[in-house]
Amino acid sequence: MMNPSAGLLSWRRTVIVTVALPLMISLAVMAYAWPASRIAPRDLPVGVVGTSTASQHAIEGLTRNKPGGFDFHLYPDQASARAAIKSREVYGAFAVTAGNVTVLEASAASTSVAQMLTTAGQQLADHASKSPTGNAAPSSATSHRTTAGKRVATAPRVGVRTVDVVPSSADDPRGVVFNSALLPLTICSILIAVLIAMSGIQMPVWRRLVDLFAACAATGLAAYLVAQGLLGALPHDPVSTWAALSLTMLAISATGVGLITLIGSPGLGVSAALMVFVGNPFSGITSAPELLPKAVADIGQWLPPGAGASLLRGTAYFDGNGSGGSIAVLVLWCALGLTAVVFGRRTPTPTVELIAGDGPGADGTSTPPVVNETPAVSSAPAHHPHPHGRHTAHE
């Protein structure tokens, strides 16, 4: 006769395989693909050099082409604009004159934004070249014949010059290695949390914290040695960059250990879903936070993967400029996770339950405690009854 409970478990497994698992995979694919399909500038901070008529026309042209796409900052000269790019106030700047458009960009901040600014600069130059020049000097103007036989003055051809103020590493010019490092970094941090929180080994809290800090520091160093030592993707400030990697991993791992300590095994699923399937695709590391939908960008920068990516760019290319907010976010997640580890409840491990005999058996009954049935062997000499005992019995 078939066990009803076995049939119920079989149907439950079928539902999980055919319904729950495809749904989870669909949500994971959407989490990664949907933000990528909505990439566009949204209040992207860029600079404009000068307040001349040409600069005003540039602002009007960019606003017309991308309504709400740019947040303009005015600078008196190119030196000020370059300083703003290096301090991460803006992603780039446009310096527009009567015959030239200079695009100042930083491919280290985002190769996607750098390409976008280059395209926008070319569009400005094309628009200026097609516009009639009411103020242009006759000697510099060109003309073309209309259908009525008249000659109409047009603007001279406007050139475009691109200057990469903060370039990416020569070994990683497109930032592919840098962008590819975040996902394995997040997954390794989750694995650290699993090894520390679910190993089944009883240890005091301080020992667990020491292992957590040591694992994140060692793994961060290993990641840096691979990313920079072998691939050359993190070219500047090695100590700060190593610290950024380790702090990012600590924030993710501490959150995982804290959730597992608080709610047990489901904490692993929660931390993995939060960091891998939300934090990674919402981080904007492959583009820029300002190119993602605003709600997605805000969520991503408040999670460790997004904050860690921003901090890593700051230490590897910008001397740590603009990294204060990212450090604050990572420290906050570390504090929350470590607090949960210290004050969370202690769930007994399966090994302890088996020895204690408190867990249910296969038939639903309680398993009796394990008792060592091997007789104890004493090292003391055996005690023999006194021979007078026999005489007393006979009597």
Side-chain angles (χ1 to χ4, degrees):
M1 181 175 179
M2 183 178 179
N3 189 352
S5 61
L8 181 61
L9 290 176
S10 177
W11 279 108
R12 183 183 302 175
R13 182 176 60 185
T14 302
V15 171
I16 292 175
V17 172
T18 59
V19 179
L21 188 59
L23 179 61
M24 292 176 59
I25 294 175
S26 300
L27 292 176
V29 172
M30 181 178 293
Y32 276 88
W34 180 76
S37 69
R38 296 294 185 270
I39 288 180
R42 297 171 175 84
D43 292 328
L44 183 73
V46 297
V48 176
V49 177
T51 57
S52 63
T53 303
S55 298
Q56 294 299 323
H57 287 168
I59 294 176
E60 293 172 1
L62 292 171
T63 304
R64 184 170 53 254
N65 292 334
K66 299 287 185 181
F70 298 101
D71 177 21
F72 296 104
H73 299 249
L74 298 179
Y75 298 99
D77 49 41
Q78 290 195 29
S80 300
R82 289 170 180 263
I85 293 173
K86 292 179 180 179
S87 62
R88 302 179 77 184
E89 295 177 10
V90 293
Y91 279 90
F94 299 97
V96 183
T97 60
N100 187 67
V101 175
T102 301
V103 182
L104 305 176
E105 60 188 28
S107 59
S110 171
T111 54
S112 299
V113 172
Q115 294 172 0
M116 186 178 298
L117 295 181
T118 300
T119 302
Q122 186 63 55
Q123 291 174 349
L124 289 176
D126 293 342
H127 179 73
S129 299
K130 296 177 182 178
S131 299
T133 58
N135 299 328
S139 60
S140 61
T142 61
S143 63
H144 67 276
R145 187 178 297 274
T146 64
T147 57
K150 297 180 180 180
R151 292 182 179 272
V152 179
T154 60
R157 184 67 183 176
V158 177
V160 180
R161 186 170 68 99
T162 302
V163 179
D164 200 346
V165 179
V166 187
S168 298
S169 170
D171 295 325
D172 187 26
R174 298 181 179 275
V176 175
V177 177
F178 184 93
N179 298 339
S180 302
L182 183 64
L183 179 59
L185 197 71
T186 305
I187 295 176
C188 289
S189 301
I190 297 296
L191 291 178
I192 291 175
V194 172
L195 291 175
I196 292 178
M198 304 182 70
S199 63
I201 301 175
Q202 293 293 327
M203 62 178 66
V205 174
W206 69 267
R207 177 64 183 278
R208 185 170 296 189
L209 297 180
V210 169
D211 290 350
L212 184 60
F213 278 91
C216 292
T219 311
L221 179 59
Y224 175 78
L225 292 177
V226 172
Q228 173 56 27
L230 296 180
L231 305 175
L234 305 172
H236 305 298
D237 206 345
V239 176
S240 297
T241 303
W242 169 36
L245 288 168
S246 301
L247 181 61
T248 302
M249 299 190 72
L250 179 62
I252 299 172
S253 299
T255 301
V257 177
L259 286 173
I260 294 172
T261 303
L262 289 176
I263 62 177
S265 298
L268 172 60
V270 173
S271 60
L274 184 63
M275 300 301 175
V276 177
F277 298 115
V278 179
N280 272 345
F282 289 12
S283 65
I285 187 173
T286 58
S287 54
E290 290 82 1
L291 299 185
L292 300 177
K294 182 171 176 53
V296 171
D298 291 341
I299 294 173
Q301 294 306 298
W302 276 101
L303 291 175
S310 180
L311 176 59
L312 195 59
R313 285 193 190 277
T315 56
Y317 288 102
F318 293 91
D319 297 326
N321 293 324
S323 301
S326 300
I327 293 175
V329 170
L330 293 174
V331 170
L332 176 62
W333 281 96
C334 288
L336 293 175
L338 296 176
T339 301
V341 174
V342 173
F343 297 102
R345 64 185 179 89
R346 295 290 174 267
T347 56
T349 61
T351 304
V352 176
E353 291 178 356
L354 180 61
I355 296 176
D358 295 332
D363 57 353
T365 60
S366 178
T367 304
V370 177
V371 180
N372 189 358
E373 298 180 357
T374 304
V377 179
S378 174
S379 58
H383 177 72
H384 299 283
H386 197 275
H388 293 295
R390 283 196 299 266
H391 300 303
T392 304
H394 287 295
E395 295 175 358

